[in-house]
Amino acid sequence: MASLWSKISAILPPTEEQFPLQFSDKVALSVVEMLKRARQQLYGDATSASSRILTAQIILDYSWERLNTGTWRHVDKEWRRVYSYGCLFKAAAICRRSPSEEEILQAIRTCDMGLLMGAAIMENILQVIVRILQREIRTLAKEEDAHENIEAKKRKIASPHVGLIKDELSVPRIKCPSLESFNANYLLPLKPVILEGIIDHWPALNQHPWSIEYLRSVAGCRTVPVEVGSRYTDEDWSQTLLTVNEFIDRYILNEVQDSESDHKAVGYLAQHQLFDQIPELKEDIRIPDYCCLGEDDEDDITVNAWFGPKGTVSPLHQDPQQNFLAQVVGNKYIRLYSPEDTEKLYPHQSQLLHNTSQVEVESPDAERFPEFVKAPYLECVLRSGDVLFIPVKYWHYVRSLEISFSVSFWWS
Amino acid sequence: EDSCVRLAGFCASISSNESFSPVTVNTSGCQDAAISETHLTLALPGRIESWHGQLGHGGLISEEEPRTVEALWGMTMRSVAAGGWHSICVGGGDLYVWGWNESGQLGLPSRGLRKDEELHEEVFISIQAFPALVDVSPSCEISTVSCGSRHTAAVTTGYLYTWGWEYGQLGHQTTSSLDEPQCVEFFRNENLHVVDVVCGSWNTFTAAVKK
């Protein structure tokens, strides 16, 4: 059985000379020197593991500072590439000499940081390394007690009894419409609708049903961004990085109590391009055919994952693109307001939140926002297997009624 | 210039105002100025004006115009220093800090620096949006202060205190970052009286004389 290092070596360029380190002059020469030193240490035998890790860490720390200076969209892509190289050198250094399971997890986390914050290098080599490392973890896990698998029961989620959606306010539903009829009746007039039956073929609902156990097995040790706090308009809202296992334990199953407070904090794996980071999950979903009615290439469609416990709330807001919101697991209560009624929805004045309403949809302050109750709306409970079409700029409010996993497709 | 500070460069604010020609700011009587990659801080008699980055105004939004740090109004500030993501100033012998504390550079408890067991005990500060007073040493007055990218150094009467992110720049012969000011024992051991300090991004330079 080949050692882990030999598997990683095999996907790296065979020699130091063939290892690319090309950067624009945006990257300081001293940093390039550091990168060359790291490359030299990678291909040499004389260095100690701690030296290699130190060199990589310096590259990471320096580029991390660049990534955190100014606004994200102004960060030069070159610095994100440098950061990814830092992750590559660090992961390689960790895996050099028979790493323990803990060290392999650390290397996976390092690669994930590169995938999340960096930019693709060497044909997405970090992704390739993660795959190798995950296989290694699974091999090690198989050697552990088998009885653990028996104890992990598939959790059956009972459907909660939901308050009745009034017929006259409910979003219309249609089963597998033709492209032409969807285009004519909903896309062109920009009318919301729930499409039924159009994701029945997804592996996520068939061969690989997205249960908690499945998600753990495919992505448990991967690091993802999690939003903590009841909603993004709150003062105590923040983002943190957790492995999927930690997120599930702490925020989905609530097995780890937040000792500071009695009430459990809400954690939401929200608006994250999880499927770029974890290709195994991408294979469980499909881009809806109806997206071809837009102008975008498939590559330009933004696919986001939304995975969280009961009670996650997305405040009333609008997005600049068309949206197909596919519900895979669980149920969500959704309310929709037309962009024609925007003045009754009191959007925030600030540039940062101008696409978000100030109003608490399910308990509106009638004194501060008197027009709100006059705004007409549609509502629904989006169930597993449903896909909601949210037309561009249509205001939407979402609250999960139980553990939920949705996938959104933003297209134009 | 006598009473003006001229600035030019890239202002990465939320409304994306790029300023490529010098901007004049009326700052008569300006005693000190500190500039870092993300913000500019000025010390004027009786006021501190700061903008861009961690400004000490209680929010996290960039400001395009200099604005007085209200919390320090009325106090005469002698000097000011700016790090990568934090600011400090000295007035009445006291040290005030504000900004990002992810490496303990403010000298306030920083969550990232503590081990898991300690996490339930304290209140941690990751962002200090208003100036906070920091006790550097029990009896001594601060004479000079300087900031690196993520660390801070202060000179009292002959002693050097450092805290924040550690890559060796704190001078304590350890590798741990600190979220509390700590005296650099080296100078005491070598019988050296520290008179001045200047920080680079990741290093610290001191001037000291033999006692």
Side-chain angles (χ1 to χ4, degrees), chain B residues 34-55:
Chain B
I35 190 159
S36 78
E37 289 225 38
T38 60
H39 57 293
L40 168 75
T41 315
L42 305 169
L44 290 98
R47 294 180 298 156
I48 290 272
E49 309 224 355
S50 64
W51 84 97
H52 288 146
Q54 285 66 45
L55 305 179

Side-chain angles (χ1 to χ4, degrees), chain A residues 358-385:
Chain A
Q358 299 178 64
V359 186
E360 262 280 358
V361 167
E362 291 187 276
S363 55
D365 184 333
E367 277 181 41
R368 288 179 69 201
F369 312 117
E371 295 293 294
F372 182 73
V373 288
K374 300 182 196 160
Y377 63 86
L378 296 172
E379 61 181 3
C380 65
V381 171
L382 199 67
R383 303 179 302 244
S384 173

Side-chain angles (χ1 to χ4, degrees), chain A residues 191-228:
Chain A
K191 282 176 165 238
V193 64
I194 293 174
L195 303 164
E196 294 177 336
I198 69 165
I199 59 170
D200 287 351
H201 60 290
W202 277 17
L205 290 166
N206 293 292
Q207 306 95 297
H208 297 146
W210 281 2
S211 65
I212 286 175
E213 285 68 30
Y214 174 73
L215 294 171
R216 279 195 201 271
S217 73
V218 157
C221 55
R222 304 298 304 273
T223 297
V224 291
V226 171
E227 301 182 354
V228 180

Side-chain angles (χ1 to χ4, degrees), chain B residues 12-13 34 36 38-42 48-72 80 82 84-89 97-100 127-131:
Chain B
S13 69
S36 78
T38 60
H39 57 293
L40 168 75
T41 315
L42 305 169
I48 290 272
E49 309 224 355
S50 64
W51 84 97
H52 288 146
Q54 285 66 45
L55 305 179
H57 298 308
L60 293 174
I61 310 227
S62 299
E63 304 263 350
E64 282 159 39
E65 296 276 320
R67 186 178 148 195
T68 311
V69 178
E70 304 260 335
L72 301 174
V80 70
W85 293 269
H86 69 298
S87 305
I88 52 180
C89 65
V97 300
W98 62 98
W100 208 11
I127 292 175
Q128 178 65 34
F130 289 103

Side-chain angles (χ1 to χ4, degrees), chain A residues 64-75:
Chain A
W64 183 90
E65 291 196 341
R66 302 276 78 74
L67 262 50
N68 278 280
T69 298
T71 49
W72 179 252
R73 67 173 187 272
H74 289 119
V75 172

